[in-house]
């Protein structure tokens, strides 16, 4: 029965433990928070290989639709892509977002004075990450840029150096945003 069962293990987020001075989750988009395990056991397709491709949790739905042969689903509006080894094409980049939620915190913890967190909590962030670099756009202007291949722990923010890679990532992020139908757009 195990050979006919899909077992999928993943997580919704990681947990920083003071790397880069960050403790806890919810405010930052460093890899310690956004990189999570994805383990799939299904001997008919996934044969104990480690796949280094960039993936997102939104890729799980179209992958399972294909693995389970559920052809009735229209996946044309789906953000996710089918994972390797079912498809040979890899993602060029992944997106992570962090939305404002001070209202939720103040509602959940009305007895706490959270004024010192107002800027941190009200900063919407969007990250675009490739295998080699990451750009984190901050609504409050605290943008970040990292060369992941040379600095995998994201310790040196290169945003002031304005490399060509940064403008390419900004352009890809804008193209990604504009790809949504107007009824689904969240915009800035």
């Amino acid at each position: 029965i195990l050979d006919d069962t899909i077992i999928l293990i993943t997580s919704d987020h990681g947990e920083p433990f003071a790397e880069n001075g960050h403790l806890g989750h919810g405010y930052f988009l460093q890899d310690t928070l956004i990189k999570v395990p994805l383990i799939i056991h299904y001997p008919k397709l996934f044969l104990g290989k480690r796949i280094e491709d960039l993936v997102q949790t939104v890729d799980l739905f179209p992958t399972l639709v294909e693995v389970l042969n559920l052809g009735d689903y229209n996946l044309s509006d789906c953000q996710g892509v089918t994972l390797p080894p079912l498809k040979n094409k890899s993602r060029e980049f992944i997106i992570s977002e962090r939305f404002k939620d001070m209202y939720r915190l103040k509602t959940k913890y009305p007895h706490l004075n959270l004024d010192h967190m107002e800027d941190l909590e009200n900063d919407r962030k969007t990250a675009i990450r490739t295998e080699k670099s990451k750009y984190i756009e901050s609504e409050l202007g605290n943008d970040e840029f990292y060369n992941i291949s040379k600095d995998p722990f994201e310790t040196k923010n290169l945003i002031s150096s304005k490399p060509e890679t940064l403008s390419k990532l900004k352009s890809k992020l804008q193209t990604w945003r504009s790809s949504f139908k107007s009824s689904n757009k969240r915009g800035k």
Side-chain angles (χ1 to χ4, degrees), residues 1 12 16 23 41 48 55 62 65 72 76 89 152 160 162 176:
I1 194 165
D12 58 342
L23 192 60
H41 171 83
V55 300
V65 165
D72 295 345
S76 62
K89 187 177 179 192
S160 60
K162 304 285 185 203
W176 175 80

Side-chain angles (χ1 to χ4, degrees), residues 148-162:
I148 299 294
S149 58
K150 292 182 180 176
D151 180 19
F153 299 107
E154 299 168 87
T155 60
K156 187 172 181 182
N157 185 355
L158 302 172
I159 196 69
S160 60
S161 65
K162 304 285 185 203

Side-chain angles (χ1 to χ4, degrees), residues 10-15 25 33-37 57:
T10 191
S11 176
D12 58 342
H13 58 76
E15 194 69 35
H25 65 272
L33 183 69
I34 65 172
K35 281 183 87 172
V36 296
T57 53

